[in-house]
Amino acid sequence: MSARAGEARHPVPTPPPRLPAARGLRGALAAGRFAVTAEIGPPRGVDRTAITRSAALLRGWVDAANVTDNQGAHVRLSSLAGSLLAAEAGVEPVMQLTCRDRNRIALQSDLIAAATLGVPNVLLLTGDHPVFGDHPEAKPVFDLDSVQLVWAARTMRDDGLLLSGRPVDPRPGFLIGAVENPFAPPAGFRAARLGKKVAAGAEFCQTQFVFDVPAFARFMAEVADRGLDTRCAVLAGVGPIRSLRAYEFIRTKVPGVHVPDEVGRRLRGVPADRVAAEGVTLCVETIQALREIPGVAGVHVMAFGYERGIPEILERAGLERSARAG
Amino acid sequence: MSDLPHPTAPRPTARATYRLAPVLRPRGAHRRLAGWLERSPRALRVFTTSERRSKERLFGCRMCGQCALPATGYACPMTCPKQLRNGPCGGVSPLGECEVYPGERCVWLIAHERAESAGRAADLARLQRPVDHRLAGTSSWVSYWLGRDEHLWTGDDGLAAPPAVHRPSVDLGLPRVRR
């Protein structure tokens, strides 16, 4: 009210028309700029500064940051709350939403909530099974799967309808993302499975960690063959392995991650105090190699507990801050 | 063993199932039988029990009441611990094991192998619509014969034109939802 009254007294001259700056994830993808996203893991505690701190480290370096949804089936601050805090701290959020804990009523409700509160991007996934988390005794919901959730979100946005057939008015306007793991068997079906998500409505896709670049290039060739890369921006997942213990963990304990032996040889081939630096260098080299693969629209950097290192990785990989700082 | 979904390999070979499937295809006699069963609650119970027993034994059937088998190489997706109708998930191990039950083969991998061996790999690219949980425990054969199963999945991979997520409504005799 008062702002409007102020405007009436001192009319602000209309600024000359100019092209809208390519901001955020949608902007980067629309402009064809190599996109960068990262990940923020919400805290297990009532601590709003945890998100703000991570966001401050990423601000300006990424086009958007995912806020995970009780990642690994461990209880954390909700991804919706985390997304709002990230936005408040100046980082565009990608709200992750999994089918693990919610039936279709709750999923659609959370999608409406996210859109209402201004979350511009959602990443829709099936989610890890509760047995991997801190409440293995919990009831796994999985009322919808990821393809169906993407489909429901697209239907809400483009057709203005819920799964019930009832109208959603006004409609949400979010960008819809999905995930795919190019390295899990059956190798011959992974691009086709991404195709299902694209048919359902996915506009961008973040992949599992890429350590095996040639295998990823083969996946991307099939994605391009199917014409999927022009309909869905593929952001390759990357991240530094900063210790031999982390290497063993990610190789043996994280479902669906393929780490070639070459990575182990590189990490073991340096003195113990240089392993972390070697891991970071490997990550930088991976990003550089990924940029050369046709159809790769960007990278998604996952560096749990090492968000402070993300700017260095991006800078060394030639992904300057200036393009994103706006 | 608990009642939780467990990846289950079908007993019959892919060849046998694809060969035998046409026997169950809806035809006049099947439609008449289904219609009669629906009017005879006791007969329907007996029929549904025998359907459950045989499909449980052959496919690990969990009686979702909306059979996806014809589009999944006759490997039941409801035996996936995440009950994915559009699997496999990203957690399949390099050896093809289920992430929830290491040592057991991912049922979607089995589905893929079976469909591929029968030249039906394109079936897996169809989009499976959300499950209607009201049908749990009911006879999917009766639904199939009466044409209620027709829109469980899309006709193709859906890439040419955006497919509708909604199925034409199924009359279960439940109160209508007001739009």
Side-chain angles (χ1 to χ4, degrees):
Chain A
M1 202 70 167
S2 60
R4 239 174 230 176
E7 264 173 35
R9 276 201 304 276
H10 310 284
V12 183
T14 319
R18 57 182 187 129
L19 290 173
R23 293 297 300 277
L25 183 56
R26 191 190 288 269
L29 298 178
R33 182 156 50 74
F34 197 77
V36 179
T37 55
E39 210 149 280
I40 295 175
R44 188 178 63 231
V46 185
D47 174 15
R48 48 192 301 144
T49 63
I51 300 258
T52 319
R53 275 198 310 269
S54 301
L57 294 166
L58 300 173
R59 189 174 169 182
W61 285 99
V62 297
D63 294 300
N66 291 23
V67 180
T68 55
D69 176 13
N70 297 303
Q71 185 163 21
H74 289 79
V75 171
R76 295 274 195 264
L77 173 90
S78 82
S79 60
L80 177 54
S83 294
L84 298 183
L85 292 172
E88 223 176 82
V91 172
E92 182 179 297
V94 177
M95 185 184 89
Q96 296 195 184
L97 188 66
T98 72
C99 302
R100 178 190 58 228
D101 311 318
R102 305 167 181 84
N103 67 7
R104 64 194 79 183
I105 299 173
L107 287 167
Q108 294 179 102
S109 165
D110 282 354
L111 286 172
I112 294 176
T116 305
L117 295 170
V119 174
N121 318 292
V122 290
L123 186 83
L124 308 175
L125 48 173
T126 302
D128 292 313
H129 196 280
V131 296
F132 297 107
D134 55 359
H135 293 73
E137 74 282 18
K139 179 173 171 48
V141 179
F142 302 116
D143 181 27
L144 301 181
D145 65 26
S146 52
V147 172
Q148 294 162 347
L149 178 56
V150 167
W151 209 356
R154 201 268 308 274
T155 304
M156 286 169 78
R157 189 193 61 191
D158 296 353
D159 305 337
L161 293 174
L162 295 176
L163 287 175
S164 65
R166 284 192 165 187
V168 186
D169 188 24
R171 305 167 182 195
F174 36 58
L175 194 70
I176 300 172
V179 297
E180 191 50 63
N181 183 356
F183 309 104
F189 188 62
R190 288 296 163 180
R193 182 143 193 275
L194 175 59
K196 290 182 83 161
K197 294 187 174 180
V198 174
E203 297 158 293
F204 72 96
C205 164
Q206 294 169 331
T207 75
Q208 183 56 280
F209 280 110
V210 178
F211 293 110
D212 186 346
V213 176
F216 184 73
R218 287 194 292 277
F219 167 77
M220 281 310 298
E222 206 188 327
V223 167
D225 272 355
R226 292 169 179 269
L228 300 175
D229 57 331
T230 57
R231 299 176 58 168
C232 176
V234 178
L235 277 66
V238 293
I241 301 181
R242 298 180 60 252
S243 69
L244 291 173
R245 221 181 71 188
Y247 167 72
E248 277 310 317
F249 179 78
I250 203 160
R251 209 167 61 90
T252 56
K253 292 275 169 14
V254 184
V257 181
H258 172 56
V259 192
D261 298 339
E262 169 63 15
V263 173
R265 271 198 290 280
R266 287 270 305 259
L267 295 178
R268 280 197 205 89
V270 295
D273 62 331
R274 299 273 311 141
V275 172
E278 185 68 8
V280 168
T281 301
L282 247 166
C283 181
V284 169
E285 291 170 11
T286 306
I287 297 176
Q288 287 165 337
L290 289 168
R291 292 184 75 177
E292 303 302 316
I293 298 176
V296 175
V299 283
H300 175 59
V301 190
M302 295 171 274
F304 310 105
Y306 188 60
E307 285 86 356
R308 67 182 186 284
I310 291 179
E312 184 206 329
I313 293 172
L314 294 173
E315 189 160 41
R316 283 175 59 192
L319 296 165
E320 303 298 336
R321 186 170 197 217
S322 53
R324 272 156 272 275
Chain B
M1 200 163 79
S2 79
D3 188 42
L4 295 172
H6 236 263
T8 308
R11 278 167 190 260
T13 63
R15 220 178 112 107
T17 40
Y18 277 105
R19 230 187 230 178
L20 282 171
V23 174
L24 281 175
R25 235 164 245 160
R27 64 189 83 220
H30 286 149
R31 268 183 223 115
R32 280 193 297 279
L33 171 63
W36 175 74
L37 285 168
E38 285 221 309
R39 291 189 301 275
S40 329
R42 188 176 287 175
L44 181 61
R45 259 201 310 279
V46 173
F47 181 83
T48 307
T49 303
S50 51
E51 176 180 339
R52 177 173 56 77
R53 290 227 174 105
S54 58
K55 279 167 52 173
E56 230 170 44
R57 196 174 148 68
L58 293 174
F59 304 104
C61 173
R62 302 180 58 82
M63 290 300 277
C64 67
Q66 46 225 291
C67 199
L69 290 179
T72 60
Y74 292 91
C76 178
M78 303 313 275
T79 69
C80 159
K82 295 181 183 174
Q83 304 210 313
L84 300 184
R85 299 282 277 201
N86 294 282
C89 79
V92 189
S93 84
L95 298 172
E97 295 165 327
C98 172
E99 64 168 12
V100 179
Y101 298 106
E104 294 181 30
R105 201 156 169 74
C106 163
V107 69
W108 273 101
L109 225 60
I110 297 171
H112 185 256
E113 285 160 3
R114 289 170 63 95
E116 208 165 44
S117 77
R120 297 283 294 268
D123 283 352
L124 300 190
R126 297 164 186 258
L127 277 68
Q128 294 275 347
R129 295 195 167 87
V131 167
D132 183 339
H133 292 282
R134 293 171 298 184
L135 294 173
T138 64
S139 163
S140 77
W141 283 344
V142 169
S143 292
Y144 178 48
W145 291 334
L146 293 176
R148 292 174 189 155
D149 267 9
E150 269 166 32
H151 302 281
L152 290 182
W153 51 82
T154 56
D156 59 15
D157 63 11
L159 284 165
V165 74
H166 298 100
R167 288 167 61 185
S169 62
V170 178
D171 184 9
L172 294 166
L174 297 170
R176 288 246 163 244
V177 178
R178 248 185 315 138
R179 297 268 152 96

